[in-house]
Amino acid sequence: MKRHLVGLAGFMIALASPASADGLDPSCAGCHALTKPADTSLDRLWTRKGPDLWYAGSKFNAEWLVEWLQDPKPIRPVGYPYFKTITKGAEHDVADPTKSPPHPKLDKAAAEAATAELMKLKAPDLIAEGTFKGDKGGARMGSLAFNKLRGCIACHQGEDGKGGASGPSLTDGGARLQADFIAAYTTDPQRIDPHIWMPILKLKDKDIQRLTAYVISLGGKP
């Protein structure tokens, strides 16, 4: 497969991003944007096959990524995107596994090499170092906000795998995600991922810090 697989994914990828991951298998671009897309329309979001990875180095923890690429399991319980992977069940919509092809599994050397390339893809203008100020003492209040006050659990699974299925599970959020990414994305998901279905909650910074402290406390294995 040629590098022009980007076009087969049905979306445009800008070439202006200073970061690149030239060492990645070109087939990755068939489902993921590896450079910042020029097209940020709703149509693009609707047709993309997988989450953008052009800021993967500002999002994932490298150790988790190496493990996951060797044994990939669904991060979103009902697949991606949820509105294309569910089917009508007896009592409610359920996941249709035939609509979620498995992610390729890599051996350890390939997983380490891919992770090294992905970690080069950073977006410091959107996910600034220090967005999470480091106070983990707010995790308890963050748990209350996640599970009760802010309704995060309606879309995300939190502690013990309890919660909704339309968004990414956060049961292993602390192992998977960087704290600065959690804080920046929670503050304004639309700035990082335009038109994504996660709303801007207009939270005060102290609430962002508490929610982030809670999510990074969730360290379940992938």
Side-chain angles (χ1 to χ4, degrees), residues 80-165:
Y80 180 90
Y82 76 93
F83 47 81
K84 291 185 177 180
T85 57
I86 57 176
T87 189
K88 189 176 179 63
E91 298 182 357
H92 49 71
D93 292 339
V94 296
D96 181 351
T98 66
K99 297 179 179 178
S100 297
H103 191 279
K105 185 180 290 189
L106 306 182
D107 62 30
K108 184 177 181 182
E112 291 175 341
T115 295
E117 292 298 315
L118 287 168
M119 296 309 291
K120 296 177 183 176
L121 304 178
K122 297 183 181 296
D125 54 331
L126 294 178
I127 305 161
E129 186 175 348
T131 303
F132 176 59
K133 298 179 174 64
D135 181 6
K136 299 179 182 178
R140 188 170 180 179
M141 288 301 296
S143 174
L144 183 63
F146 186 95
N147 292 292
K148 300 287 186 184
L149 302 178
R150 302 299 181 185
C152 310
I153 198 169
C155 297
H156 300 282
Q157 294 179 352
E159 192 173 354
D160 298 330
K162 298 175 181 176

Side-chain angles (χ1 to χ4, degrees), residues 4-213:
H4 300 88
L5 275 173
V6 174
L8 297 178
F11 50 76
M12 296 292 292
I13 291 179
L15 301 177
S17 174
S20 66
D22 294 336
L24 280 175
D25 186 318
S27 65
C28 299
C31 294
H32 303 285
L34 303 177
T35 52
K36 189 174 183 179
D39 180 2
T40 58
S41 69
L42 180 60
D43 286 344
R44 175 190 172 267
L45 179 72
W46 223 247
T47 56
R48 73 182 183 185
K49 297 179 180 178
D52 291 349
L53 292 180
W54 60 269
Y55 50 84
S58 296
K59 176 179 181 179
F60 295 114
N61 289 318
E63 182 179 355
W64 176 89
L65 198 51
V66 169
E67 290 190 19
W68 190 84
L69 287 170
Q70 295 176 77
D71 186 19
K73 296 181 174 64
I75 294 172
R76 293 159 179 80
V78 295
Y80 180 90
Y82 76 93
F83 47 81
K84 291 185 177 180
T85 57
I86 57 176
T87 189
K88 189 176 179 63
E91 298 182 357
H92 49 71
D93 292 339
V94 296
D96 181 351
T98 66
K99 297 179 179 178
S100 297
H103 191 279
K105 185 180 290 189
L106 306 182
D107 62 30
K108 184 177 181 182
E112 291 175 341
T115 295
E117 292 298 315
L118 287 168
M119 296 309 291
K120 296 177 183 176
L121 304 178
K122 297 183 181 296
D125 54 331
L126 294 178
I127 305 161
E129 186 175 348
T131 303
F132 176 59
K133 298 179 174 64
D135 181 6
K136 299 179 182 178
R140 188 170 180 179
M141 288 301 296
S143 174
L144 183 63
F146 186 95
N147 292 292
K148 300 287 186 184
L149 302 178
R150 302 299 181 185
C152 310
I153 198 169
C155 297
H156 300 282
Q157 294 179 352
E159 192 173 354
D160 298 330
K162 298 175 181 176
S166 60
S169 170
L170 294 174
T171 301
D172 68 339
R176 186 172 84 245
L177 303 169
Q178 297 179 27
D180 288 335
F181 171 79
I182 297 168
Y185 202 90
T186 305
T187 300
D188 189 352
Q190 303 296 324
R191 185 166 179 257
I192 299 171
D193 210 3
H195 306 296
I196 196 67
W197 38 93
M198 179 169 166
I200 301 173
L201 297 176
K202 297 182 180 179
L203 301 177
K204 295 179 180 177
D205 186 61
K206 67 177 181 181
D207 295 321
I208 295 292
Q209 300 300 317
R210 289 168 174 172
L211 276 167
T212 302

